[in-house]
């Protein structure tokens, strides 16, 4: 090989090397552009200036932490808005079960049968409308979103109706009956609209399970705030005002004002179309970074799922639930829990007056105990739910044992109610028993609510039907029971003793037995449901 050939080969090699370097540079530029595009949408350290030039914090490591990537458009204001989105319903629900039955019978003067019928009509309206609203909300498409129209309509119904319940209009007896029946129906239909829309939107505005858990936790936290607000307001109003009609007028007005302000804040701050679109965009970008081949994997999962639906336990359509045994078992568990809570709340004012002798006086036309006893009970259950329930569940690692614990606590707080009387030396015991009973009911209610999530798993394609069905049967059953108690037993001392002393215990025992059956027959299937729907 001569020198001319060497020169030719070297020149050819240099040209090839230069071409390869140029190709590599172009590839690197393309890759960097893609990375920058992902960073703009995802990197939480990205500095968005007022001009098109992008700047990056040089202190940020080049390796992106997947867990720190933003997956929704929620800021502090939007999070706060969702947290108080159900506040109006919680305020109204608290006053509904605690005072409406007492008010229409003792203040307005309706016959006990009519008063019970008013409550029954409201519960039936709520039970029927809840599944209808759930299915309608899933199919709704408007410029302001799928859930917002239902929330707005529900708020328009709830706020004026809860206030008008306590205005005490000057009407004849027949007109009064129609007036309160119409308001009870309107209120409960609106309640269902707000409840379902607020529960359903969380799955659309963020795809992060941790963020969803935080939002739900904040919403539940404000449920405690709402109940505390109602009972504290009632206590203050009952002490300061001497006119019983004006006591409930002011209480109704106070609740309406708080509910209006929080509902307006929710509607203004939570722009559903933007948040839904932003959540989808960021979730798509997140999956690209987490798994570049996610589209192929998604298609493969869909294919595999379609071949194994009959074995996986995944529920796809609402009517599939009707063939699932765990749907009925845990639905009855939830129903027993709500009966224990709602019947106790509704009967307690009559028990305090008839059995323990907290009667009306000229100075206190509404006995202070009617606000103070449920407030003491609620504070106890609130402290436990906020600070100790999670620790209890982490310690026990199941849903079965907490129900057994609730039987013991509820029995300690409920059975002694049977033996109390108006003796001043025994009256004070009602505050202690109320606290213990409230603690047991809190354990029972929190566990039953968690079981619904276990039944649904992460397959939310028909979750609205599950919530709606459970709500339907629970509200109808509660309405019938409260009607019977109000119509025939709310002024009879011995029946009231047995109702408030035995009902919570009996419900907790039945719930425990049903949970045991569910554990024996369906624990493996529910485990598969959670695993196979894991995202």
């Amino acid at each position: 090989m001569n020198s001319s050939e060497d020169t030719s080969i070297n020149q050819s090699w240099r040209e090839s090397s230069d071409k390869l370097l140029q190709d590599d540079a172009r590839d690197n530029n393309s890759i960097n552009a893609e990375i920058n595009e992902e960073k703009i949408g995802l990197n939480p350290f990205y500095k968005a200036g007022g001009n098109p030039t992008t700047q990056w914090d040089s202190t940020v490591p080049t390796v992106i932490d997947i867990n720190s990537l933003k997956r929704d458009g929620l800021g502090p204001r939007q999070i706060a808005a969702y947290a108080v989105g159900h506040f109006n319903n919680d305020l109204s629900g608290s006053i509904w079960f605690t005072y409406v039955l007492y008010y229409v019978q003792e203040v307005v003067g309706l016959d006990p049968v009519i008063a019970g019928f008013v409550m029954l009509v409201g519960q039936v309206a709520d039970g029927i409308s809840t599944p209808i609203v759930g299915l309608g909300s899933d199919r709704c498409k408007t410029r302001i979103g799928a859930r917002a129209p239902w929330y707005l309509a529900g708020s328009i119904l709830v706020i004026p109706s809860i206030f008008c319940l306590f205005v005490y209009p000057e009407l004849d007896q027949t007109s009064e009956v129609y007036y309160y029946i119409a308001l009870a129906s309107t209120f409960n239909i609106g309640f269902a609209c707000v409840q379902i829309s607020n529960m359903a939107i969380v799955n659309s505005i963020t795809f992060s399970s941790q963020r969803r858990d935080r939002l739900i936790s904040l919403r539940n936290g404000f449920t405690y705030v709402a109940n505390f607000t109602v009972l504290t307001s009632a206590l203050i109003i009952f002490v300061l005002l001497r006119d019983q009609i004006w006591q409930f007028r002011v209480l109704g007005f106070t609740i309406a004002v708080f509910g209006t302000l929080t509902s307006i804040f929710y509607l203004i701050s939570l722009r559903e179309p933007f948040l839904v679109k932003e959540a989808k965009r960021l979730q798509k970008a997140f999956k690209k970074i987490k798994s570049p081949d996610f589209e192929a994997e998604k298609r493969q999962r869909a294919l595999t799922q379609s071949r194994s639906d009959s074995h996986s336990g995944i529920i796809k359509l609402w009517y599939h639930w009707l063939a699932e045994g765990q749907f009925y078992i845990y639905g009855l568990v939830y129903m027993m829990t709500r009966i224990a809570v709602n019947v106790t709340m509704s009967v307690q004012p009559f028990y305090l007056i008839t059995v323990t002798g907290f009667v009306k006086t000229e100075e206190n036309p509404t006995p202070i105990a009617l606000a103070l006893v449920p407030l003491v009970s609620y504070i106890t259950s609130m402290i436990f739910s906020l600070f100790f329930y999670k620790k209890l569940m982490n310690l026990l690692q199941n849903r079965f044992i907490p129900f057994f614990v609730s039987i013991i606590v509820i029995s300690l707080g409920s059975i002694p109610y049977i033996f109390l009387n108006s003796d001043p030396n025994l009256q004070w015991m009602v505050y202690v028993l109320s606290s213990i009973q409230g603690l047991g009911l809190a354990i029972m209610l929190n566990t039953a609510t968690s079981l619904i999530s276990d039944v649904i798993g992460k397959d939310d394609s028909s979750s609205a039907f599950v919530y709606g069905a459970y709500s339907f049967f629970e509200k109808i059953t509660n309405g019938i029971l409260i009607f019977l108690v109000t119509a025939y037993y709310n002024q009879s001392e011995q029946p009231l003793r047995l109702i408030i002393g035995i009902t919570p215990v009996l419900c907790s025992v039945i719930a425990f037995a049903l949970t045991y059956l569910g554990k024996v027959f369906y624990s493996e299937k529910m485990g598969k449901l959670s695993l196979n729907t894991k995202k």
Side-chain angles (χ1 to χ4, degrees):
M1 185 178 295
N2 55 36
S3 59
S4 62
E5 289 176 340
D6 289 341
T7 302
S8 175
I9 291 174
N10 290 335
Q11 184 177 358
S12 176
W13 180 83
R14 282 195 298 271
E15 290 175 355
S16 298
S17 297
D18 291 341
K19 188 176 185 303
L20 288 172
L21 289 173
Q22 291 172 2
D23 291 342
D24 287 342
R26 281 195 299 270
D27 291 340
N28 287 336
N29 289 335
S30 176
I31 292 170
N32 288 332
E34 292 179 5
I35 292 174
N36 287 338
E37 183 181 353
E38 299 293 352
K39 284 182 176 179
I40 291 172
L42 296 170
N43 194 323
F45 301 103
Y46 168 64
K47 298 179 178 179
N51 53 58
T53 305
T54 58
Q55 298 180 350
W56 301 93
D57 189 344
S58 59
T59 63
V60 178
T62 55
V63 178
I64 298 176
D65 180 8
I66 292 294
N67 294 324
S68 69
L69 298 179
K70 192 173 182 181
R71 297 173 64 185
D72 55 57
L74 298 173
R77 177 171 176 171
Q78 288 73 34
I79 293 173
Y82 182 82
V84 301
H86 203 257
F87 194 68
N88 181 40
N89 260 24
D90 293 327
L91 291 169
S92 304
S94 178
I95 200 172
W96 171 263
F97 281 108
T98 306
Y99 293 121
V100 165
L101 195 56
Y102 171 83
Y103 172 79
V104 296
Q105 183 176 329
E106 299 295 324
V107 180
V108 177
L110 293 183
D111 182 85
V113 175
I114 300 299
F117 185 70
V118 168
M119 180 68 75
L120 175 60
V121 169
Q123 292 297 101
V124 170
D126 192 348
I128 293 175
S129 59
T130 298
I132 295 174
V133 171
L135 295 174
S137 177
D138 287 337
R139 292 164 172 77
C140 181
K141 292 182 180 180
T142 69
R143 293 180 60 185
I144 62 173
R147 316 299 180 185
W150 296 90
Y151 186 94
L152 178 60
S155 299
I156 292 173
L157 294 177
V158 168
I159 294 170
S161 59
I162 199 65
F163 171 71
C164 290
L165 277 168
F166 298 105
V167 299
Y168 196 83
E170 298 292 336
L171 299 172
D172 60 80
Q173 188 174 6
T174 302
S175 299
E176 273 185 346
V177 174
Y178 288 117
Y179 176 81
Y180 286 106
I181 287 176
L183 284 179
S185 303
T186 303
F187 165 71
N188 280 279
I189 292 171
F191 187 98
C193 292
V194 173
Q195 181 185 42
I196 293 300
S197 61
N198 182 255
M199 290 172 62
I201 197 174
V202 71
N203 292 320
S204 303
I205 58 179
T206 180
F207 289 92
S208 169
S209 59
Q210 292 180 347
R211 183 79 104 173
R212 289 177 184 174
D213 290 344
R214 183 188 174 196
L215 291 173
I216 293 171
S217 177
L218 287 171
R219 185 189 68 191
N220 291 338
F222 273 91
T223 300
Y224 296 124
V225 175
N227 282 273
F228 182 80
T229 301
V230 169
L231 296 174
T232 304
S233 300
L235 180 61
I236 295 171
I237 292 169
F238 292 166
V239 170
L240 295 179
L241 297 181
R242 295 290 179 262
D243 187 296
Q244 198 173 31
I245 293 175
W246 274 101
Q247 284 178 339
F248 286 97
R249 279 180 179 172
V250 173
L251 182 60
F253 177 76
T254 302
I255 299 311
V257 169
F258 279 129
T260 301
L261 293 175
T262 54
S263 298
I264 291 174
F265 177 66
Y266 175 88
L267 286 167
I268 292 175
S269 302
L270 215 67
R271 294 184 296 152
E272 183 184 344
F274 168 77
L275 293 174
V276 171
K277 184 178 180 180
E278 191 73 357
K280 290 179 179 179
R281 181 184 71 82
L282 292 172
Q283 177 69 359
K284 184 177 180 180
F286 171 81
K287 286 188 174 183
K288 283 184 179 180
I289 287 181
K290 186 177 180 181
S291 176
D293 297 327
F294 83 100
E295 288 291 351
E297 292 175 3
K298 183 178 178 182
R299 287 192 295 270
Q300 182 61 35
R301 284 197 304 270
L303 180 61
T304 304
Q305 177 177 306
S306 65
R307 293 173 177 172
S308 60
D309 271 350
S310 59
H311 304 289
S312 65
I314 295 175
I315 310 295
K316 280 299 174 187
L317 300 174
W318 66 268
Y319 54 80
H320 289 165
W321 287 106
L322 302 180
E324 297 295 323
Q326 74 271 18
F327 171 74
Y328 299 99
I329 290 286
Y330 294 112
L332 288 172
V333 170
Y334 182 72
M335 187 173 72
M336 289 295 107
T337 302
R338 296 307 309 183
I339 289 173
V341 174
N342 293 339
V343 170
T344 300
M345 288 177 63
S346 300
V347 169
Q348 192 176 63
F350 301 103
Y351 176 91
L352 293 173
I353 293 173
T354 304
V355 178
T356 55
F358 292 100
V359 295
K360 302 177 183 179
T361 64
E362 185 176 343
E363 198 170 304
N364 293 306
T366 302
I368 303 301
L370 269 62
L372 193 55
V373 171
L375 179 61
V376 169
S377 172
Y378 188 75
I379 290 174
T380 304
S381 61
M382 178 176 66
I383 292 173
F384 169 78
S385 298
L386 291 177
F387 300 107
F388 298 104
Y389 177 73
K390 187 174 181 179
K391 294 180 180 179
L392 177 67
M393 295 305 297
N394 290 337
L395 176 65
L396 299 177
Q397 294 293 319
N398 61 54
R399 312 291 192 200
F400 178 67
I401 299 179
F403 271 114
F404 182 74
V405 174
S406 73
I407 293 176
I408 298 173
V409 179
I410 290 173
S411 298
L412 292 174
S414 300
I415 293 176
Y417 271 109
I418 301 173
F419 307 103
L420 293 186
N421 55 45
S422 58
D423 186 345
N425 294 322
L426 291 177
Q427 272 186 338
W428 65 271
M429 282 293 296
V430 74
Y431 295 101
V432 177
L433 295 177
S434 179
S435 298
I436 299 172
Q437 188 186 64
L439 176 60
L441 291 174
I443 297 172
M444 187 179 175
L445 181 59
N446 284 327
T447 307
T449 304
S450 299
L451 276 173
I452 299 178
S453 298
D454 294 343
V455 171
I456 296 172
K458 292 188 177 181
D459 181 12
D460 61 356
S461 58
S462 55
S463 59
F465 171 76
V466 178
Y467 283 112
Y470 285 178
S471 179
F472 172 79
F473 291 111
E474 170 259 311
K475 286 178 168 60
I476 297 296
T477 305
N478 267 294
I480 293 173
L481 290 175
I482 293 173
F483 166 73
L484 293 174
V485 170
T486 304
Y488 301 107
Y489 303 114
N490 69 350
Q491 293 180 337
S492 303
E493 186 173 323
Q494 192 58 31
L496 285 173
R497 293 177 189 272
L498 296 176
I499 290 168
I500 202 168
I502 298 299
T503 300
V505 179
L506 182 62
C507 289
S508 65
V509 171
I510 295 174
F512 172 78
L514 290 168
T515 306
Y516 178 76
L517 290 177
K519 179 177 180 292
V520 171
F521 293 107
Y522 300 107
S523 59
E524 183 178 351
K525 190 168 188 177
M526 289 178 68
K528 287 182 179 179
L529 184 65
S530 297
L531 290 173
N532 287 330
T533 57
K534 189 175 181 179
K535 295 180 181 179

